Amino acid sequence: GAVVSQHPSWVICKSGTSVKIECRSLDFQATTMFWYRQFPKQSLMLMATSNEGSKATYEQGVEKDKFLINHASLTLSTLTVTSAHPEDSSFYICSADRTSHYGYTFGSGTRLTVV
Amino acid sequence: LAKTTQPISMDSYEGQEVNITCSHNNIATNDYITWYQQFPSQGPRFIIQGYKTKVTNEVASLFIPADRKSSTLSLPRVSLSDTAVYYCLVGGRSSNTGKLIFGQGTTLQVKP
């Protein structure tokens, strides 16, 4: 079945540093990937839509200069949290659109803790 | 984008059938209804998708009335491992027709 691999599964970083999260579609090509953020006991909040070969589309209220998204190939999208602060600590989840099948496939998520 | 409304939480016991209903009054003609399951600290997992009437797979059934303004996810004989958050989403089958916006979801607690 369709697999989306997300790496790392957890990361702890110091305030002010940058962190990169990778999202790979392992057995299919994804022209579109999505990035979500989820705070404890809350639902997933869509941050941005990542399109291969073009600029990402950010949801209202999401700082594009802080959350850099790169979708350079049909199997890889990256989210870089720049100058991370404790309030950026959250669970980040990516998903990929596998247009030939039902539903979207989600990665296993990345727990980011900024100290 | 069609908004969905679900009960915030439900309790059940092992072996029982659980039905979770979702309201989506503003569903568009080309929208599909998809249900996902999420365990703590994991990404959502696809359960089932449908457009109208009834859909059944190895883990669940999805009932959609003719007006499509609601849908019901049915989980037969739940076990403790079915304790999770269940999300109902409406949108296009692919990104070409819409992005997925998550509502609050339903937290299902299965008790022994």
Side-chain angles (χ1 to χ4, degrees):
Chain A
V3 177
V4 172
S5 174
Q6 199 170 330
H7 179 80
S9 56
W10 62 270
V11 59
I12 301 173
C13 71
K14 291 185 176 181
S15 185
T17 62
S18 296
V19 174
K20 179 184 287 187
I21 302 169
E22 292 186 347
C23 181
R24 294 180 183 272
S25 56
L26 296 185
D27 55 353
F28 65 101
Q29 295 182 331
T31 55
T32 302
M33 292 185 178
F34 301 92
W35 287 96
Y36 294 84
R37 180 168 55 181
Q38 186 176 33
F39 292 108
K41 298 200 180 296
Q42 293 187 22
S43 183
L44 285 77
M45 184 190 78
L46 180 65
M47 299 175 67
T49 301
S50 169
N51 299 296
E52 187 269 335
S54 64
K55 291 183 178 180
T57 303
Y58 291 82
E59 295 298 304
Q60 190 174 8
V62 178
E63 301 175 59
K64 62 180 181 180
D65 295 330
K66 180 171 184 60
F67 299 99
L68 301 179
I69 292 173
N70 183 281
H71 195 157
S73 77
L74 288 172
T75 59
L76 174 63
S77 176
T78 60
L79 168 68
T80 301
V81 182
T82 63
S83 187
H85 291 285
E87 56 265 30
D88 298 323
S89 298
S90 187
F91 192 55
Y92 293 86
I93 308 168
C94 69
S95 74
D97 174 24
R98 195 177 184 199
T99 55
S100 62
H101 289 72
Y102 296 117
Y104 294 70
T105 304
F106 288 81
S108 54
T110 297
R111 175 74 59 192
L112 170 63
T113 302
V114 184
V115 297
Chain B
L1 296 170
K3 181 179 178 180
T4 60
T5 303
Q6 307 172 229
I8 293 176
S9 64
M10 294 182 68
D11 289 339
S12 182
Y13 291 93
E14 281 190 294
Q16 289 188 334
E17 177 184 78
V18 171
N19 296 309
I20 306 174
T21 298
C22 178
S23 297
H24 29 79
N25 293 318
N26 297 321
I27 189 168
T29 303
N30 61 344
D31 281 342
Y32 284 77
I33 301 158
T34 312
W35 286 79
Y36 289 85
Q37 175 192 56
Q38 186 184 28
F39 297 112
S41 296
Q42 294 186 27
R45 184 176 72 99
F46 172 86
I47 300 175
I48 197 167
Q49 184 181 74
Y51 183 81
K52 61 180 180 180
T53 63
K54 176 184 175 182
V55 179
T56 297
N57 61 22
E58 61 275 10
V59 298
S61 294
L62 179 59
F63 299 92
I64 306 169
D67 65 7
R68 304 200 326 122
K69 293 183 182 298
S70 67
S71 60
T72 299
L73 173 72
S74 181
L75 304 172
R77 296 198 299 278
V78 295
S79 63
L80 295 177
S81 61
D82 292 316
T83 294
V85 179
Y86 292 83
Y87 295 97
C88 159
L89 288 88
V90 295
R93 179 177 290 190
S94 76
S95 62
N96 293 328
T97 54
K99 51 192 175 185
L100 291 184
I101 303 297
F102 282 76
Q104 61 186 13
T106 298
T107 299
L108 172 64
Q109 179 70 49
V110 180
K111 303 175 182 179

